């Protein structure tokens, strides 16, 4: 069962490690603050998803009380107030009208009871979408941070204007910055999936899928930039040199002793 459900603790730990990595490589970048906000939001939403797993007891007690009160009312109408008190004997028209009114009341009561029973789902559904709204906003904030990170800035012919934003001119740093944005988007999708795991509702699942699709589409756009960076000549020049083991010359061959 360990790999059949999402563990909120592991998701939070992944977000915390990502924040540390962003802080070490880009300590002065705004992406560091976004990573910290992702950690805070993941903690809050994990608690919210866990709280939604428990039933709303006060609402269930209220529903049971309403059902019992409605049942007692119908028993009172059917036993204490018989039809001979409502209509005169032999009056078929009034009897039919009384039966029709009773059937309408029964139908309305059933509809009302069903609405009360499903009220818990609607309450949880509103809570889920209220929290997913903040997650959706954070996804767009992440997209805004990667918006100006263009592989075209690595070209020698690129000339910034007076109002151009700050650019990352190193290919390796630019690729790592975009990779961090992609990881953040992936974490947001996993946080949203916690609500689908806690609340088994079709509307909630559709909302979670919309969040995941949004994050996946933006991440796909980021990886297109990373692919362009890796194919750029500047990325090949800034590639890390091989380690000492690979640089060491092979030992000279010695002639066998005779």
């Amino acid at each position: 069962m360990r790999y059949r459900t999402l563990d909120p603790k592991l998701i939070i730990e992944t977000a915390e490690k990502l924040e540390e990595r962003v802080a070490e490589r880009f300590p002065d970048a705004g992406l560091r603050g976004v990573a910290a906000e992702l950690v805070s939001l993941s903690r809050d939403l994990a608690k919210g998803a866990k709280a939604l797993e428990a039933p709303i007891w006060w609402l269930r007690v209220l529903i049971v009380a309403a059902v019992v009160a409605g049942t007692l009312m119908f028993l009172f109408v059917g036993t204490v107030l018989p039809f001979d008190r409502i209509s005169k004997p032999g009056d078929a028209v009034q009897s039919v009208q009384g039966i029709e009114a009773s059937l309408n009341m029964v139908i309305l009561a059933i509809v009302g009871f069903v609405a009360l029973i499903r009220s818990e789902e609607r309450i949880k559904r509103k809570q889920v979408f209220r929290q997913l709204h903040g997650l959706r906003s954070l996804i767009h904030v992440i997209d805004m941070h990667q918006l100006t990170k263009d592989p075209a800035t690595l070209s020698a012919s690129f000339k910034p204007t007076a109002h151009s934003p700050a650019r990352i001119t190193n290919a390796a740093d630019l690729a790592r910055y975009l990779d961090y944005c992609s990881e953040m988007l992936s974490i947001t999708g996993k946080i949203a999936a916690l609500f689908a795991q806690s609340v088994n509702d079709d509307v909630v699942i559709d909302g979670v899928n919309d969040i995941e699709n949004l994050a996946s589409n933006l991440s796909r756009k980021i990886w297109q930039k990373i692919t362009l960076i890796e194919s750029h000549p500047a990325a090949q020049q800034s590639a890390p040199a091989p380690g000492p083991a690979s640089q060491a010359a092979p030992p000279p061959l010695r002639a066998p002793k005779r």
Side-chain angles (χ1 to χ4, degrees):
M1 296 296 293
R2 177 182 178 185
Y3 298 104
R4 296 185 182 182
T5 57
L6 290 172
D7 191 349
K9 294 182 180 179
L10 297 180
I11 297 177
I12 295 173
E13 290 178 0
T14 303
E16 291 174 348
K17 291 180 181 179
L18 179 58
E19 179 192 6
E20 294 175 356
R21 291 161 55 197
V22 174
E24 290 175 356
R25 191 175 293 270
F26 303 103
D28 300 328
L31 190 65
R32 180 181 181 180
V34 179
E37 183 64 25
L38 178 61
V39 173
S40 176
L41 186 62
S42 62
R43 292 171 181 169
D44 296 338
L45 296 187
K47 293 179 181 178
K50 185 65 177 179
L52 290 175
E53 294 180 0
I56 306 177
W57 292 111
W58 66 267
L59 182 60
R60 294 191 176 186
V61 171
L62 182 62
I63 293 173
V64 172
V67 171
V68 172
T71 304
L72 294 176
M73 183 179 296
F74 279 109
L75 291 176
F76 174 79
V77 173
T79 57
V80 180
L81 297 176
F83 286 107
D84 56 357
R85 297 186 181 182
I86 301 176
S87 61
K88 298 180 180 180
D91 193 349
V93 176
Q94 293 187 3
S95 298
V96 171
Q97 291 178 353
I99 294 173
E100 182 181 0
S102 300
L103 291 176
N104 292 333
M105 290 181 61
V106 170
I107 294 174
L108 292 176
I110 293 175
V111 174
F113 291 154
V114 173
L116 285 176
I117 293 173
R118 300 190 61 180
S119 60
E120 182 175 357
E121 296 180 0
R122 293 195 298 269
I123 292 175
K124 289 186 176 182
R125 189 183 301 167
K126 289 182 180 179
Q127 294 178 357
V128 168
F129 282 104
R130 188 180 299 112
Q131 299 186 63
L132 288 181
H133 179 72
L135 190 61
R136 185 188 296 272
S137 300
L138 182 61
I139 290 176
H140 288 290
V141 171
I142 296 173
D143 182 55
M144 287 297 297
H145 277 76
Q146 67 86 30
L147 190 62
T148 58
K149 305 305 180 289
D150 194 351
T153 58
L154 302 177
S155 177
S157 59
F158 177 78
K159 295 181 180 180
T161 63
H163 296 86
S164 295
R167 304 283 185 174
I168 299 178
T169 57
N170 183 272
D173 290 342
L174 182 58
R176 183 55 56 193
Y177 188 99
L178 294 174
D179 187 34
Y180 288 157
C181 293
S182 179
E183 290 185 30
M184 289 183 187
L185 293 174
S186 179
I187 293 175
T188 57
K190 303 305 175 290
I191 296 173
L194 291 176
F195 291 96
Q197 182 175 277
S198 301
V199 181
N200 188 13
D201 183 74
D202 293 337
V203 180
V204 172
I205 293 175
D206 291 339
V208 170
N209 289 336
D210 291 340
I211 295 291
E212 292 180 336
N213 291 334
L214 175 62
S216 298
N217 293 334
L218 295 178
S219 180
R220 191 178 299 112
K221 181 174 64 175
I222 292 174
W223 274 101
Q224 290 177 355
K225 291 185 178 181
I226 296 176
T227 303
L228 293 176
I229 294 173
E230 292 178 348
S231 61
H232 199 276
Q236 300 176 359
Q237 295 177 0
S238 60
S246 60
Q247 291 180 347
L253 297 178
R254 297 182 179 180
K257 296 181 179 179
R258 296 182 179 179

